[in-house]
């Protein structure tokens, strides 16, 4: 997966549907702050099926700790699902024992391509 983080604070086209939200970033000192809004309600937080609504807002913070480590903090707000916001924090370490970053294909994408699952309108776009 990849995403674009716009740092010019332009507004997205109003008729554009986002699958993983719209990311807008700014710098505060040495920390990149990314606000992610305009989600749909068709994704989950994890394999346990913990869900969110279209009102989800994420505020991410990426801070360089040293040459090989970023600290990642994210605050999750969704007033339609959670009674209060919550935050997680974790280090992201540089991978040094690989020549390149390997591509990742989501298992759901593979199943969708092969037709090995039944579509659920809550979590998948309907067939074209």
């Amino acid at each position: 997966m990849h995403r674009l983080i716009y740092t010019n604070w332009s507004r997205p086209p109003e008729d554009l549907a986002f699958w993983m939200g719209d990311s807008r970033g700014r710098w505060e000192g040495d920390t990149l702050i990314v606000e992610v809004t305009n989600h749909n309600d068709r994704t989950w937080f994890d394999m346990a099926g913990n869900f969110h609504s279209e009102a989800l807002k994420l505020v991410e913070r990426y801070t360089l700790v040293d040459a090989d480590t970023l600290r990642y903090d994210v605050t999750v707000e969704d007033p339609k699902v959670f009674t209060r916001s919550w935050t997680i924090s974790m280090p992201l370490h540089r991978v040094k024992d690989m020549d390149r970053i390997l591509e990742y294909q989501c298992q759901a994408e593979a199943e969708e391509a092969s037709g090995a699952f039944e579509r659920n309108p809550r979590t998948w776009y309907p067939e074209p």
Side-chain angles (χ1 to χ4, degrees):
M1 293 271 177
H2 73 276
R3 65 179 167 150
L4 299 175
I5 299 174
Y6 296 94
T7 57
N8 63 0
W9 289 94
S10 61
R11 293 199 174 270
E14 291 192 21
D15 59 346
L16 183 60
F18 292 95
W19 182 255
M20 296 185 62
D22 176 39
S23 299
R24 302 292 162 153
R26 69 182 184 281
W27 287 97
E28 288 184 7
D30 292 337
T31 300
L32 176 63
I33 310 293
V34 180
E35 293 183 17
V36 189
T37 58
N38 296 323
H39 294 267
N40 67 33
D41 64 352
R42 297 180 177 196
T43 61
W44 298 317
F45 285 113
D46 54 32
M47 294 300 292
N50 289 300
F51 62 94
H52 61 82
S53 77
E54 75 285 349
L56 175 66
K57 177 183 177 183
L58 305 174
V59 178
E60 301 173 303
R61 291 174 171 77
Y62 297 87
T63 306
L64 189 63
V65 175
D66 59 44
D68 296 320
T69 311
L70 286 173
R71 187 180 73 235
Y72 174 74
D73 302 292
V74 61
T75 300
V76 178
E77 298 176 18
D78 189 337
K80 292 184 176 181
V81 177
F82 303 113
T83 57
R84 60 187 169 95
S85 63
W86 50 277
T87 300
I88 61 171
S89 180
M90 70 182 78
L92 302 175
H93 301 285
R94 183 187 308 264
V95 175
K96 292 182 169 186
D97 60 349
M98 298 177 70
D99 292 336
R100 66 184 181 102
I101 297 174
L102 301 176
E103 291 183 39
Y104 169 78
Q105 181 178 9
C106 175
Q107 181 62 30
E109 290 175 5
E111 291 174 357
E112 182 178 15
S114 70
F117 74 97
E118 292 185 34
R119 287 181 178 270
N120 179 331
R122 168 133 168 79
T123 58
W124 295 96
Y125 285 117
E127 291 189 44

